[in-house]
Amino acid sequence: DTLNNTRDLGGLTSKDGRKIKYKKILRSGTLFDISENDKKKLKNEYHLSKVIDLRTEAEQIQKKDTYIKGVKYISNPILNEAHMGITRENDQIKRDSTVEFVTRHINNDDGYEFMRDLYLNFVKDSFCLAHFSSFIKELEKEEDLILFHCSVGKDRVGISTYFFLSILDICEEEKEAD
């Protein structure tokens, strides 16, 4: 009901016909405003055991995850504040919403360059690559259900999903559709 851009990766098919099991891995946007009903559904119906938060430390402070009893929470920021252009000189931005920060970039007509540079960091920056590696290692562990998320569930989660699905040799059409 309240989880933006949340979906089960179950059912996606590999090139050799294997399928990801349902209720094993979910991708999502923020858990900040999760309803009690959604918490119960994740815990009781999906048997959620682990949440991996891909947001920066500042984002995690601004909008803390709503915790679900008995669920393990792991902070694994794909980006850091420096990637977002947040430095000591503009520390105020850490207190602002990240959405407001990105909106400022778009309004200043440098949104394209900002997003291009962000995506290049995903595949070139050692910090980002190390955290993508940590993310994949967390998925390798045996769990009931893992949910991973960022703020909106499209950029960091999208790239993380693409890497994961590539490792599983999921068909290109299904990866692109997701």
Side-chain angles (χ1 to χ4, degrees):
D1 298 328
T2 57
L3 294 177
N4 293 329
N5 204 13
T6 301
R7 55 188 174 270
D8 191 334
L9 296 178
L12 297 178
T13 308
S14 69
K15 292 175 185 172
D16 67 1
R18 292 173 295 141
K19 290 189 180 288
I20 297 175
K21 292 180 182 178
Y22 285 97
K23 296 186 177 181
K24 284 293 185 185
I25 187 157
L26 298 175
R27 60 177 283 178
S28 183
T30 185
L31 302 182
F32 177 67
D33 288 327
I34 187 173
S35 70
E36 286 300 317
N37 186 49
D38 283 345
K39 285 197 288 189
K40 286 179 187 173
K41 188 173 192 173
L42 285 171
K43 190 66 179 155
N44 300 331
E45 288 181 41
Y46 282 82
H47 308 289
L48 180 64
S49 58
K50 184 189 297 183
V51 169
I52 304 172
D53 191 341
L54 304 178
R55 299 174 301 156
T56 66
E57 182 182 341
E59 291 173 296
Q60 292 178 29
I61 291 168
Q62 290 163 5
K63 292 191 174 186
K64 291 181 170 50
D65 276 352
T66 303
Y67 289 100
I68 302 169
K69 187 176 181 179
V71 174
K72 181 179 181 179
Y73 285 80
I74 296 172
S75 172
N76 186 38
I78 296 299
L79 298 166
N80 60 32
E81 278 71 25
H83 293 119
M84 300 294 288
I86 300 171
T87 63
R88 289 179 186 243
E89 290 78 39
N90 58 7
D91 210 32
Q92 176 63 37
I93 294 169
K94 286 185 182 179
R95 293 183 288 278
D96 293 345
S97 160
T98 303
V99 172
E100 290 173 20
F101 175 68
V102 173
T103 300
R104 273 186 248 146
H105 275 288
I106 292 168
N107 291 339
N108 290 334
D109 288 331
D110 66 346
Y112 174 81
E113 289 82 13
F114 174 75
M115 292 306 293
R116 181 199 62 218
D117 292 345
L118 209 56
Y119 270 77
L120 286 172
N121 278 326
F122 288 156
V123 295
K124 289 184 171 185
D125 184 85
S126 60
F127 179 92
C128 297
L129 292 171
H131 282 82
F132 279 124
S133 177
S134 295
F135 166 73
I136 296 298
K137 286 176 183 166
E138 283 298 329
L139 297 183
E140 290 175 340
K141 297 176 182 176
E142 199 62 36
E143 303 288 341
D144 288 329
L145 175 81
I146 296 172
L147 180 148
F148 62 101
H149 77 92
C150 59
S151 293
V152 180
K154 63 179 191 67
D155 298 311
R156 289 164 285 189
V157 163
I159 296 295
S160 299
T161 302
Y162 190 84
F163 287 160
F164 173 64
L165 297 179
S166 294
I167 290 167
L168 296 180
D169 206 23
I170 299 299
C171 301
E172 280 303 312
E173 306 81 44
E174 293 193 42
K175 281 192 292 195
E176 288 177 17
D178 187 75

